[in-house]
C-alpha cells in the first residue's frame, strides 16, 4: 500500500496550524496500524489525526478537513450497534476468555452488554492491562473489523481499558436455532448426534437441535473442557456461530454451558429428505472398531491402529453404513449411524459382534450380510446435509405401490 498520499494530507492539515510534523513519523504510524493491526486505511488516518490533535492540544473541529463525524472522534456505542470499520467506545462485561490462537494475541474472548455480544482480541503489542472474566470494562477507541463475516473488536496500542464499577448480571436470551446468524449467539438445544472428530485438537463435534432446526457444533480441546452427553439438553450462552459455504456451525468452546433437566420432545432433525435406491455400500460399513481414548472415537484400521493414539487393543465396536443413494436424478453421499443402521438392517450391535468374533470371515461377514439386506432397496432418508454428505437421522424402506408401478409402465409405453 502507498501511504504517501495520506501522509501528505495529514502533513498539510497541520502545516496550516503552524505545526511541522516529521513525515516519516506519520507514515510509520499509518503503516503500523494497517499492517500490524489490520486497521482500515481510512480509520488509520483518522486515528493518527486524533493522536496529533491530542499532542498539539487541538480540538477536532479546529482542524480543517478532518475526516469522519464530529472531527473523527470515536463514538460510544452499544455492542449490537458496532459495525465493521467503526472506531468505538464500549462498556461491556467479559463473559468468556479463550486461549489465544497466536503469540501475537495477549487475550481473546467475548465481551457482552445488554444489547448483544462481540468477540474481542487484544494484541500483545498493545501492552493493554489484562481483563478478568466476569468483570466490566470501558474500552475507549477500540476498532471493529470483520473476520469470516463476524464482527471483531480489536484492542490496539491506542485503546484505553478502564475497569468500571458494575456488577449487574447479564442474562442473554436464547434464540431459536433457525434464527442463528454469523456472530455470537445463545441457544437452548438437545445433543442429537456425536460424530467422529476430524482433527486431533477437536474434543467433540456433532449435531444439536431444537424445535426449529439443527446445527453442527464443535468443542476444541482446552483445559477444563468436557464433552456433551448425547440426548441431554443444554443452555449454551455466547457461542460463536461461523458460516462456511452458506452453512452455520456453532463453536461452543468458549461458551457458558448449563445442562438442563427438561427435554426437547421434538427436534427437527434436518429438512432434507431423499427418496431413492441404495446403489452402493462403501467399504468401512458394517461393524467397525473405534479408539477408546477419551475424546477420540476415531475408527480404527483392521490392525486396531488409530492415526493419533496408535495401536489400541481395547477397542470399542460400533455400526455404520456409508454409501450412495440414487433418487433417479442425482446420487447422494449418505452416512447412517448405529441407531439408524440397526432398525434398517435388522441386525443389532450384539448380533454383529457375535458374527464378527465367530465367523471365519469376521467383520467382512457382517459387511456382506448388511449389504445383502439393504443394497438395491428403495428407502426414504431424512437428515441434514453437511459438506455434501447426508447425515441420516431416519431411514425407512419404501413399500411397493402397484398403482405407481402401473403408471410408470404406462409412461414407458410398455405392458405390465
Amino acid at each position: 500500500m502507498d501511504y504517501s498520499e495520506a501522509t501528505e494530507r495529514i502533513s498539510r492539515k497541520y502545516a496550516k496550524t503552524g505545526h511541522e510534523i516529521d513525515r516519516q513519523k506519520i507514515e510509520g504510524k499509518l503503516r503500523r496500524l494497517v499492517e500490524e493491526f489490520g486497521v482500515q486505511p481510512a480509520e488509520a488516518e483518522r486515528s493518527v489525526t486524533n493522536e496529533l490533535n491530542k499532542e498539539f492540544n487541538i480540538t477536532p473541529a479546529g482542524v480543517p478537513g478532518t475526516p469522519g463525524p464530529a472531527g473523527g472522534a470515536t463514538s460510544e456505542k452499544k455492542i449490537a450497534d458496532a459495525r465493521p470499520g467503526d472506531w468505538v467506545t464500549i462498556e461491556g462485561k467479559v463473559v468468556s476468555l479463550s486461549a489465544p490462537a497466536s503469540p501475537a494475541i495477549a487475550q481473546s474472548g467475548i465481551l457482552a452488554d445488554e444489547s448483544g455480544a462481540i468477540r474481542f482480541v487484544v494484541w500483545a503489542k498493545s501492552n493493554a492491562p489484562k481483563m478478568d472474566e466476569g468483570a466490566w470494562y470501558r474500552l475507549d477507541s477500540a476498532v471493529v473489523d470483520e473476520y469470516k463475516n463476524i464482527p471483531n473488536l480489536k484492542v490496539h496500542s491506542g485503546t484505553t481499558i478502564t475497569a468500571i464499577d458494575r456488577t449487574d448480571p447479564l442474562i442473554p436470551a436464547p434464540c431459536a436455532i433457525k434464527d442463528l446468524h454469523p456472530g455470537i449467539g445463545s441457544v437452548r438445544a438437545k445433543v442429537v448426534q456425536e460424530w467422529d472428530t476430524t482433527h486431533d485438537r477437536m474434543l467433540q463435534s456433532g449435531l444439536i437441535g431444537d424445535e426449529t432446526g439443527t446445527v453442527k457444533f464443535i468443542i476444541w480441546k482446552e483445559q477444563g473442557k468436557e464433552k456433551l452427553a448425547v440426548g441431554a439438553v443444554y443452555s449454551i450462552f455466547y457461542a460463536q456461530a461461523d458460516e462456511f459455504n452458506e452453512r452455520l456451525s456453532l463453536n461452543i468452546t468458549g461458551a457458558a454451558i448449563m445442562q438442563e433437566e427438561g427435554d426437547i420432545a421434538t427436534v427437527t432433525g434436518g429438512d432434507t429428505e431423499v427418496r431413492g435406491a441404495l446403489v452402493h455400500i462403501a467399504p468401512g460399513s458394517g461393524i467397525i472398531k473405534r479408539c477408546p481414548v477419551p475424546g477420540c472415537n476415531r475408527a480404527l484400521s483392521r490392525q486396531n491402529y488409530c492415526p493419533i493414539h496408535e495401536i489400541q487393543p481395547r477397542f470399542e465396536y460400533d455400526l455404520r453404513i456409508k454409501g450412495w443413494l440414487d433418487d433417479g436424478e442425482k446420487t447422494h453421499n449418505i452416512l447412517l449411524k448405529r441407531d439408524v443402521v440397526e432398525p434398517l438392517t435388522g441386525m443389532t450391535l450384539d448380533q454383529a459382534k457375535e458374527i464378527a468374533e465367530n465367523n471365519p470371515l469376521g467383520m467382512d461377514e457382517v459387511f456382506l450380510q448388511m449389504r445383502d439386506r439393504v443394497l438395491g432397496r428403495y428407502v426414504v432418508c431424512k437428515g441434514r446435509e453437511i459438506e455434501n454428505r447426508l447425515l441420516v437421522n431416519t431411514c425407512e424402506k419404501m413399500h411397493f405401490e402397484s398403482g405407481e408401478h402401473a403408471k410408470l409402465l404406462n409412461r414407458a409405453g410398455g405392458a405390465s
Side-chain angles (χ1 to χ4, degrees):
M1 175 183 171
D2 185 0
Y3 299 95
S4 59
E5 290 187 8
T7 301
E8 180 64 23
R9 279 195 298 271
I10 294 173
S11 178
R12 282 205 306 268
K13 287 173 190 172
Y14 290 93
K16 291 179 181 178
T17 64
H19 299 286
E20 292 295 333
I21 305 172
D22 186 345
R23 297 191 179 198
Q24 289 186 347
K25 179 181 175 183
I26 295 174
E27 185 172 331
K29 289 178 181 292
L30 291 171
R31 187 182 300 279
R32 186 180 183 203
L33 285 170
V34 173
E35 296 181 1
E36 294 187 30
F37 300 124
V39 177
Q40 295 295 320
E43 296 298 336
E45 185 174 343
R46 182 186 303 179
S47 177
V48 171
T49 303
N50 288 338
E51 187 177 329
L52 292 172
N53 286 342
K54 293 179 182 177
E55 181 178 341
F56 298 118
N57 196 25
I58 298 173
T59 57
V63 181
T66 300
T74 60
S75 56
E76 187 166 343
K77 290 187 174 183
K78 291 294 184 184
I79 286 176
D81 298 327
R83 297 288 181 268
D86 289 347
W87 281 70
V88 294
T89 293
I90 280 178
E91 288 188 2
K93 179 180 181 180
V94 178
V95 296
S96 170
L97 289 173
S98 55
S102 164
I105 298 173
Q107 271 192 309
S108 60
I110 306 293
L111 191 74
D113 65 9
E114 301 83 356
S115 69
I118 190 170
R119 185 171 59 185
F120 73 87
V121 169
V122 181
W123 296 110
K125 290 183 177 179
S126 69
N127 294 318
K130 292 282 186 182
M131 293 187 284
D132 297 325
E133 188 169 330
W136 283 82
Y137 295 91
R138 177 183 175 90
L139 279 64
D140 288 273
S141 298
V143 64
V144 182
D145 66 2
E146 191 176 55
Y147 179 66
K148 294 183 177 179
N149 297 322
I150 299 176
N152 285 279
L153 189 69
K154 297 293 176 62
V155 174
H156 52 87
S157 58
T159 305
T160 302
I161 299 178
T162 309
I164 56 177
D165 186 19
R166 286 185 63 175
T167 57
D168 43 316
L170 289 174
I171 305 176
C175 70
I177 284 180
K178 70 178 180 60
D179 294 329
L180 279 173
H181 55 80
I184 306 299
S186 302
V187 298
R188 180 180 182 273
K190 183 176 185 177
V191 181
V192 180
Q193 293 179 351
E194 181 179 3
W195 301 340
D196 293 346
T197 54
T198 56
H199 194 285
D200 59 355
R201 286 189 54 243
M202 191 181 291
L203 176 64
Q204 188 180 25
S205 70
L207 203 64
I208 57 174
D210 63 10
E211 296 86 349
T212 67
T214 56
V215 65
K216 173 184 175 182
F217 76 92
I218 297 170
I219 304 176
W220 296 97
K221 290 180 179 176
E222 284 188 8
Q223 188 174 8
K225 299 300 176 189
E226 297 181 354
K227 297 173 72 172
L228 306 185
V230 176
V233 175
Y234 295 89
S235 287
I236 302 170
F237 301 115
Y238 303 121
Q240 180 176 312
D242 297 312
E243 186 177 42
F244 181 69
N245 284 342
E246 300 182 349
R247 294 187 183 279
L248 287 179
S249 64
L250 211 56
N251 181 350
I252 62 175
T253 309
I257 302 173
M258 296 172 54
Q259 185 168 354
E260 303 273 356
E261 293 186 353
D263 193 12
I264 297 177
T266 305
V267 173
T268 302
D271 52 4
T272 301
E273 176 181 305
V274 181
R275 294 168 176 260
L278 289 166
V279 295
H280 178 64
I281 305 299
S285 301
I287 190 168
I288 61 171
K289 302 171 184 175
R290 293 198 180 277
C291 179
V293 175
C296 183
N297 205 41
R298 285 178 172 79
L300 303 179
S301 71
R302 285 180 174 272
Q303 292 75 34
N304 303 336
Y305 185 82
C306 171
I308 303 300
H309 303 101
E310 302 184 343
I311 298 295
Q312 295 293 324
R314 295 185 178 180
F315 51 81
E316 297 173 354
Y317 279 119
D318 193 11
L319 294 178
R320 72 178 179 189
I321 286 180
K322 301 190 297 181
W324 292 88
L325 179 65
D326 193 319
D327 65 4
E329 297 180 354
K330 177 184 175 183
T331 54
H332 302 264
N333 187 351
I334 60 171
L335 175 63
L336 285 64
K337 302 192 75 175
R338 176 188 168 188
D339 58 347
V340 181
V341 170
E342 287 184 328
L344 179 67
T345 62
M347 183 186 295
T348 66
L349 178 61
D350 289 339
Q351 292 170 335
K353 285 167 62 178
E354 184 177 352
I355 294 170
E357 292 172 355
N358 299 311
N359 191 285
L361 291 178
M363 296 170 66
D364 288 342
E365 179 63 24
V366 177
F367 171 80
L368 293 172
Q369 288 195 23
M370 281 194 176
R371 189 189 63 179
D372 291 344
R373 295 183 190 195
V374 299
L375 186 63
R377 296 298 301 263
Y378 283 82
V379 296
V380 181
C381 287
K382 297 178 181 178
R384 186 173 181 84
E385 195 166 10
I386 296 178
E387 297 174 355
N388 297 320
R389 169 175 281 183
L390 183 65
L391 304 174
V392 179
N393 297 316
T394 63
C395 186
E396 298 177 352
K397 294 176 182 174
M398 295 174 63
H399 298 288
F400 176 71
E401 298 285 348
S402 58
E404 292 295 322
H405 187 220
K407 289 180 183 177
L408 287 172
L409 287 175
N410 289 335
R411 285 173 57 191
S416 60

